[in-house]
Amino acid sequence: MLAAKVNTETEEQNRIRFQVELEFVQCLANPNYIHFLAQRGYLKEQTFVNYIKYLQYWREPDYARYLKYPMCLHFLELLQHEAFRRECVSAQVCKFMDDQAILLWQHYTRRRTRTLQPPDVPAPPTAPNSNQHGPPRQP
């Protein structure tokens, strides 16, 4: 009876560890969070670097399928490099990463919308430019 109780606790601890690591890895999709970690000095600590190496198992398909933000895997890979970890302290680098991530998401969303749109559905009409005088021109 006691052995069953110990196994249940161990399973519960494993479930909690899985959830905590999943949440942390997904937070890495946010360049502002990486910048926060860098400013606080975490990216310089060897124990944190070792933890980042340990988290590489999230790249395996069995684990990656739980991720909502796959961009985090790219940043997880970049964090393996010391030069990248050093640069993350810079607010300019953080802003650049954030801008690039937004551009990627916008491009992906537009491309996905076009791909999923049936070919017989016409494109939605564009709003006329408010700076024009008179009716919009028709092609």
Side-chain angles (χ1 to χ4, degrees):
M1 183 78 170
L2 182 61
K5 199 171 194 178
V6 170
N7 286 341
T8 304
E9 290 174 3
T10 303
E11 289 175 16
E12 179 68 14
Q13 289 172 348
N14 285 337
R15 186 181 64 77
I16 291 171
R17 182 173 57 95
F18 176 83
Q19 290 174 342
V20 168
E21 290 176 359
L22 172 63
E23 184 175 343
F24 176 74
V25 168
Q26 291 192 110
C27 285
L28 297 178
N30 183 347
N32 293 302
Y33 182 65
I34 295 173
H35 180 65
F36 169 83
L37 293 172
Q39 285 182 320
R40 302 304 185 276
Y42 290 110
L43 300 184
K44 294 178 183 177
E45 296 177 8
Q46 189 57 44
T47 54
F48 188 81
V49 172
N50 291 342
Y51 183 62
I52 293 294
K53 287 178 185 175
Y54 159 76
L55 291 174
Q56 286 294 309
Y57 75 86
W58 283 98
R59 299 179 71 76
E60 297 174 19
D62 288 343
Y63 293 97
R65 67 189 177 112
Y66 293 101
L67 298 171
K68 291 182 181 177
Y69 309 105
M71 175 77 74
C72 65
L73 294 177
H74 181 67
F75 287 121
L76 183 62
E77 176 62 33
L78 288 173
L79 285 167
Q80 302 301 313
H81 306 285
E82 184 180 351
F84 178 76
R85 292 192 304 267
R86 273 194 316 263
E87 293 298 323
C88 287
V89 176
S90 167
Q92 290 175 328
V93 170
C94 173
K95 173 84 170 107
F96 177 76
M97 290 189 309
D98 198 35
D99 290 346
Q100 293 303 305
I102 290 170
L103 289 172
L104 177 70
W105 291 329
Q106 287 175 340
H107 174 72
Y108 172 79
T109 302
R110 278 194 299 260
R111 209 170 93 208
R112 183 172 169 86
T113 302
R114 269 187 269 140
T115 302
L116 295 177
Q117 188 176 32
D120 58 339
V121 175
T126 58
N129 189 350
S130 61
N131 293 338
Q132 282 184 334
H133 294 82
R137 295 182 191 169
Q138 295 199 359

